[in-house]
Every structure is written in structure tokens, then in C-alpha cells.
């Protein structure tokens, strides 16, 4: 079935460690997004990519990095510079055309990151 | 002030009740989304609308562009409707989200 796969479901990070969250989609969508969710808060945009080999910072990009080498993959690295990484991370994608106005965003199941 | 405000933050209802969740936004938008997040965290899109009203089963979503307000209604609520309902609006980059309404429907 078509969809978005995020892995792992749970991830633990040690102090000073970089960790990478995987997001893969087989929907042939051009645009992909990473959001962070903290308890009691709305989702906030970390990074987004509207086409392969191009990505843009969102509202809370500091301490994170991404790559978009393939259309179907948009991994997120949480670097040691991110001092408060504990959160729920969601990946999403939308189709082509006018992606934001016309197409619905599809979400992965999320990755819950905790600091050891 | 948040760009997307939802009310109420928490809602407890008895099975069968009619439920309304409200969303107000302060920015120009091209579309508004209602999303459902279950306890495991996964999010499902319920509606995307830019005008008028949409209905899917027991769910109805309305939007008033002039008043920058949208409502999500659930008729004949059921315990399986218990979830967090999130309003989001599209800007030129991605979605801007409200903080969600936690709904608990008791049998």
C-alpha cells in the first residue's frame, strides 16, 4: 500500500550524539516535511523540501539537518547542537501541482525521540 | 498570539452527543485542514476545505472565510471518536497548526 514510513518508532539519544530519523514515501510526492510536536503544543515545522536536491528551513531548524537526495526519502538528523531534542517527530508529504492549496498532506506514524 | 487558535482545549462528552470544535485563524490562507491524531501519535487528514462545508459520515466541517473561522462537528459521537483533533492552515510553505482539542467520548 502507498504511504509514508517513519523509522524507528522509538529512538534514544545519548549526550553529544547525532541521530537520524528515517522518512520514506512511495506516493510519488514531490514535497516532504518534518514537524516536531511537544506536549500541549501544535506541530512546528523543522524543514521542508518541495523538490529533490532542494530543502528549506522551517521555524525551528536550529540543531537539525536534512538531505533530499532521492524523491522518496527525506531523513532528518538531530545533531548534538539540539539541546532539547525530546519530542515526537512527524514526517509528511504532499503531491505535485499546487501542493499546499490542492493536495492533502499524508503523515507518517511518527518517531518518539528521548534523551538518555 | 498564535496564528491558529482552537477551542476548547479539552472536551468530554457522553456517547451520542453532538460535538463542536472551533478553530480561528489570523492569517490569510488558501486552505484549512482538520486532522485527527490517535493516542499512538499517527495523524490522519479528515478534511481540507477552502469554502463552505464538507461532510464525511458523521463528521461535518464548515469554514467562514470572512470571519476566519472553521468548525468541526461530530454527530452521534462514539467512544472510538476519542482522539486529538487538530486544525491547521496552509501558508506558502507548509501547514501551521493549532494546539489541538483532546476529545474523550464516554460510553
Amino acid at each position: 500500500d502507498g504511504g509514508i514510513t517513519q523509522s524507528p518508532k522509538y529512538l534514544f539519544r545519548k549526550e553529544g550524539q547525532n541521530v537520524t530519523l528515517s522518512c520514506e514515501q512511495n506516493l510519488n510526492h514531490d514535497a516532504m516535511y518534518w514537524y516536531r510536536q511537544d506536549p500541549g503544543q501544535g506541530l512546528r515545522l523543522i524543514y521542508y523540501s518541495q523538490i529533490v536536491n532542494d530543502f528549506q528551513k522551517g521555524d525551528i531548524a536550529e540543531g537539525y539537518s536534512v538531505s533530499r537526495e532521492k524523491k522518496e526519502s527525506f531523513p532528518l538528523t538531530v545533531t548534538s547542537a539540539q539541546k532539547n531534542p525530546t519530542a515526537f517527530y512527524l514526517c509528511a508529504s504532499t503531491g505535485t501541482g499546487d501542493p499546499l492549496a490542492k493536495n492533502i498532506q499524508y503523515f507518517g506514524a511518527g518517531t518518539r525521540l528521548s534523551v538518555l | 498570539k498564535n496564528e491558529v487558535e482552537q477551542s476548547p482545549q479539552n472536551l468530554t462528552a457522553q456517547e451520542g452527543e453532538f460535538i463542536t470544535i472551533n478553530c480561528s485563524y489570523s492569517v490569510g490562507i488558501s486552505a484549512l485542514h482538520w486532522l485527527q491524531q490517535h493516542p499512538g501519535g499517527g495523524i490522519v487528514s479528515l478534511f481540507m476545505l477552502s469554502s463552505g462545508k464538507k461532510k464525511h459520515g458523521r463528521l461535518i466541517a464548515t469554514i467562514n472565510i470572512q470571519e476566519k473561522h472553521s468548525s468541526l462537528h461530530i454527530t452521534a459521537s462514539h467512544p472510538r471518536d476519542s482522539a486529538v483533533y487538530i486544525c491547521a492552515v496552509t501558508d506558502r510553505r507548509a501547514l501551521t497548526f493549532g494546539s489541538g482539542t483532546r476529545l474523550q467520548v464516554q460510553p
Side-chain angles (χ1 to χ4, degrees), chain B residues 5-78:
Chain B
E5 297 273 0
Q6 284 185 240
S7 62
Q9 285 188 316
N10 295 284
L11 181 57
T12 300
Q14 293 298 121
E15 184 173 356
E17 285 185 3
F18 181 84
I19 288 164
T20 296
I21 299 170
N22 295 300
C23 176
S24 297
Y25 53 92
S26 58
V27 296
I29 67 168
S30 54
L32 182 140
H33 302 250
W34 281 103
L35 310 165
Q36 182 189 54
Q37 185 172 31
H38 280 281
I43 291 180
V44 175
S45 288
L46 298 175
F47 295 103
M48 182 177 68
L49 63 166
S50 53
S51 65
K53 174 179 171 179
K54 287 191 176 180
K55 185 175 188 293
H56 186 259
R58 295 179 295 104
L59 301 178
I60 303 167
T62 63
I63 188 169
N64 184 319
I65 296 293
Q66 286 74 30
E67 295 185 6
K68 295 187 173 163
H69 181 269
S70 175
S71 293
L72 176 69
H73 305 286
I74 304 175
T75 62
S77 59
H78 189 275

Side-chain angles (χ1 to χ4, degrees), chain A residues 8-82:
Chain A
K9 190 171 182 180
Y10 298 96
L11 185 59
F12 297 91
R13 193 191 89 166
K14 294 180 183 177
E15 289 288 335
Q17 186 182 40
N18 292 354
V19 292
T20 297
L21 284 60
S22 169
C23 178
E24 303 277 332
Q25 53 99 358
N26 61 2
L27 300 165
N28 200 33
H29 283 171
D30 283 319
M32 296 186 74
Y33 311 85
W34 274 106
Y35 297 99
R36 169 180 169 141
Q37 186 177 38
D38 294 281
Q41 295 190 37
L43 282 77
R44 293 179 291 168
L45 180 65
I46 305 172
Y47 267 98
Y48 65 104
S49 167
Q50 295 192 337
I51 197 167
V52 175
N53 292 322
D54 185 56
F55 50 82
Q56 305 294 330
K57 291 182 179 180
D59 297 320
I60 54 166
E62 185 174 351
Y64 300 97
S65 66
V66 293
S67 62
R68 188 83 188 279
E69 297 175 2
K70 298 186 295 182
K71 187 175 185 178
E72 58 270 23
S73 179
F74 191 39
L76 174 74
T77 296
V78 184
T79 74
S80 57
Q82 173 48 247

